[in-house]
Amino acid sequence: MSVPDHGARHVAIIMDGNGRWAKKRFLPRVAGHRAGVEAVRTIVRAAGDLGLEVLTLYAFSSENWKRPEEEVSDLMGLMKRFILSDLDEFAANDVKLKVIGNWRALAPDVVALIENALDRTSGNKRTTLAVALNYGAQDELVRAATAAAATGAITAEAIEAHLDTADMPPLDLLIRTSGEVRLSNFLLWQSAYAELYFTDRLWPDFKPADLAAALDHFARRERRYGGL
Ligand code: FPP
């Protein structure tokens, strides 16, 4: 696949601000998450149009279990509906689904849904949508280092080969919406040389033009990987 003009192959997004989006409209938080799912749909399509190979989205962190039970159940429900209802859309747009994080520990019905979606989309080639579910970078690193140790020396290469993202191109650009400036335990290893881009836009308001602007910003950066 040829690399598009902006030069990025892999973009990740911390989708933040659903709650504030809803609050501004005097709506319940779940309405913000629902609007967040709509933004996911639009941005996945845009990622393909903009020539990205992989779009990784932070959908549910290993820390999100601390939220009220009702919100956790709303988020899981939205996720299940998204995976079910968008299978045709994935096929139409040639999107391969991937899930990173400790997703096999989720409820059996969610695991079964995911396995089916992974299987159904495994032949798609244009864009990979990697959804981070029950994901925490420290947990990922512990798992990767443990697996590396079991096979020999713990080297950077061995750890990298056991990360959830092992089969993906290196992360080029990490975006966080809603004005918060932190990584919140997302892709800590993969961010070592990624460009970081923070925008005040709340996630449900994040549009294809915002993704294009972030990629434009990326295209103008000079990446030195520690050199001069
Ligand atoms: C952060 O907003 C968002 C989340 C914790 C969940 C993100 C989930 C989605 C966009 C929906 C499902 C995703 C997929 C891939 C279908 P927040 O609630 O922390 O917002 P706040 O900081 O304004 O309260």
Side-chain angles (χ1 to χ4, degrees):
M1 183 185 277
S2 64
V3 179
D5 285 349
H6 50 67
R9 299 170 66 198
H10 183 178
V11 172
I13 309 182
I14 302 176
M15 310 179 287
D16 199 5
N18 295 348
R20 277 162 284 167
W21 185 93
K23 193 170 179 193
K24 270 181 26 185
R25 289 164 177 75
F26 306 101
L27 293 169
R29 289 179 63 81
V30 65
H33 293 315
R34 253 184 242 128
V37 176
E38 279 311 313
V40 167
R41 286 199 175 100
T42 312
I43 293 303
V44 172
R45 232 171 288 139
D49 295 342
L50 288 162
L52 295 180
E53 280 174 55
V54 181
L55 176 70
T56 302
L57 300 178
Y58 205 5
F60 194 90
S61 78
S62 37
E63 286 74 36
N64 282 154
W65 297 108
K66 295 181 206 142
R67 294 192 176 207
E69 213 178 303
E70 189 187 339
E71 182 166 351
V72 169
S73 136
D74 285 341
L75 279 168
M76 284 297 154
L78 282 172
M79 212 77 66
K80 282 197 277 185
R81 247 170 287 148
F82 171 74
I83 292 172
L84 261 179
S85 64
D86 281 49
L87 273 176
D88 291 342
E89 167 95 8
F90 292 158
N93 294 303
D94 206 9
V95 174
K96 181 197 287 198
L97 183 71
K98 198 181 150 68
V99 181
I100 64 169
N102 197 5
W103 59 275
R104 285 195 174 80
L106 296 172
D109 61 327
V110 183
V111 173
L113 253 178
I114 292 173
E115 279 171 343
N116 175 51
L118 294 177
D119 189 45
R120 292 261 309 271
T121 63
S122 63
N124 297 346
K125 293 207 159 46
R126 187 174 178 226
T127 321
T128 294
L129 166 64
V131 179
L133 263 185
N134 199 16
Y135 175 89
Q138 291 174 345
D139 170 66
E140 178 193 31
L141 281 168
V142 170
R143 286 189 280 110
T146 307
T151 57
I154 306 181
T155 61
E157 291 73 24
I159 290 179
E160 203 146 281
H162 289 96
L163 292 174
D164 296 352
T165 53
D167 55 351
M168 299 181 190
L171 180 63
D172 293 305
L173 174 67
L174 175 65
I175 300 171
R176 182 169 188 148
T177 60
S178 92
E180 307 291 346
V181 183
R182 56 178 179 271
L183 297 182
S184 298
N185 203 15
F186 190 47
L187 301 179
L188 297 183
W189 180 285
Q190 296 86 341
S191 298
Y193 291 105
E195 289 293 328
L196 307 181
Y197 183 87
F198 299 96
T199 167
D200 286 340
R201 198 81 80 211
L202 303 176
W203 173 248
D205 292 329
F206 192 81
K207 299 284 181 283
D210 298 308
L211 179 59
L215 286 166
D216 193 47
H217 169 90
F218 173 81
R220 285 183 276 113
R221 305 313 301 165
E222 187 192 338
R223 295 171 89 194
R224 292 200 292 267
Y225 299 96
L228 276 181

